[in-house]
Amino acid sequence: MVTNRTHEQEDFYRQWLIKHLKPARYEHSLGTQSAAAELARRFGEDPGRASLAGLLHDCGKSLDDASLVRTARAYGFDMDEILLRSPALLHAPAGAWIAREELGVTDEAVLSAICWHTVPRQDMAGLDKVVSVADLIEPTRIYPGVDQLRMAAERDLDEAFMLGLERVMIHVLERGHLLHPNTVTVYNSIRWNRMENA
Ligand SMILES: [Fe+2]
Ligand SMILES: [Fe+2]
C-alpha cells in the first residue's frame, strides 16, 4: 500500500517544520525524506510512509530538555536513567507525539519509524530501519565512513542499519556521551545473525 498525501498536507508539514526547525535541520529533513523514499522502493517498503516519516523524523528537535522528557512521557515512552541523562535522544519519541497530536499523523508505522530513530529496539520494522539509515546517509551528511554506509545501503538494508549503529556508537564514544545499551544489544543481535548465516 502506498500512503498518498495531498499537496495541502505536504505543504502543511513543511511549513510547520520551517517554523520550528533551524534551516540546516530542515534541509536535513528534506534529504532524509528523499533518501527514505528511495530506500523504501529498493527494499520493498512503502515509499509514501517512508517519505512522511523521513520528513518528520526530527520534528521534536526544537524542544528543550524538560519538554523532551515531558513529551516523550506523554507518548508513553519507557524511559530509563540513561535517557533521562541524555534527553536529546528523546527527540525521537517526543517527535512521534508531535507528529500524532500536532500534525495529525495517525499511521502507526510512520509514528514508529519516528519514535525509534535514535535508540533502536529489538525487532525494528523494515520502515524503522529505512528511516534510521536514511537519516545517516542523506546528501547533507558528511562524516568518516558515510560512503561505506551509502554503499551498503545500495544492497542490504540490515547491513546498512548495522553499520549505522556502528557509526552512532563511535560518534557517542568519541564525544564521551553515554552509550545506550539498546544500541549495543541491537547491534550485537544483527552482527550475531550475520555471523550465523555467513
Ligand atoms: Fe534525529
Ligand atoms: Fe535526523
Side-chain angles (χ1 to χ4, degrees):
M1 185 196 94
V2 173
T3 310
N4 288 313
R5 297 189 295 285
T6 63
H7 287 301
E8 288 76 23
Q9 276 174 313
E10 184 77 15
D11 198 47
F12 167 68
Y13 297 139
R14 288 186 180 209
Q15 290 306 321
W16 191 96
L17 292 173
I18 288 169
K19 195 168 153 200
H20 290 87
L21 300 182
K22 293 180 180 145
R25 179 67 51 186
Y26 178 64
E27 284 304 311
H28 162 68
S29 301
L30 294 181
T32 306
Q33 176 179 35
S34 51
E38 194 180 324
L39 290 175
R41 278 189 284 273
R42 187 171 302 144
F43 296 114
E45 298 296 330
D46 180 333
R49 283 178 161 149
S51 159
L52 179 57
L55 178 66
L56 299 181
H57 80 287
D58 274 344
C59 70
K61 269 281 185 184
S62 62
L63 299 180
D64 60 32
D65 285 357
S67 305
L68 284 168
V69 172
R70 199 174 51 242
T71 311
R73 193 167 277 142
Y75 193 65
F77 195 71
D78 209 7
M79 272 175 286
D80 55 28
E81 57 195 357
I82 299 199
L83 288 165
L84 290 169
R85 282 298 296 250
S86 319
L89 293 170
L90 295 171
H91 77 267
W97 186 92
I98 291 173
R100 193 178 67 193
E101 303 298 329
E102 286 192 32
L103 300 170
V105 175
T106 54
D107 188 328
E108 286 297 332
V110 170
L111 296 173
S112 164
I114 297 171
C115 182
W116 297 105
H117 87 269
T118 53
V119 173
R121 59 173 170 171
Q122 283 286 22
D123 303 320
M124 294 269 282
L127 192 75
D128 300 344
K129 291 178 191 170
V130 157
V131 173
S132 293
V133 171
D135 184 19
L136 298 177
I137 64 166
E138 61 86 16
T140 71
R141 290 286 203 188
I142 305 165
Y143 57 85
V146 69
D147 287 333
Q148 188 199 7
L149 196 47
R150 285 187 179 123
M151 279 190 284
E154 294 281 329
R155 53 175 189 261
D156 184 330
L157 181 60
D158 260 342
E159 184 191 359
F161 179 63
M162 181 187 73
L163 292 176
L165 293 175
E166 222 172 87
R167 282 296 126 198
V168 167
M169 289 191 287
I170 290 166
H171 179 89
V172 166
L173 295 173
E174 280 179 350
R175 277 156 189 77
H177 295 161
L178 294 171
L179 182 56
H180 197 280
N182 286 15
T183 309
V184 181
T185 304
V186 173
Y187 170 83
N188 277 345
S189 78
I190 301 175
R191 183 58 92 183
W192 186 297
N193 279 333
R194 295 180 73 84
M195 286 169 168
E196 300 271 291
N197 298 322

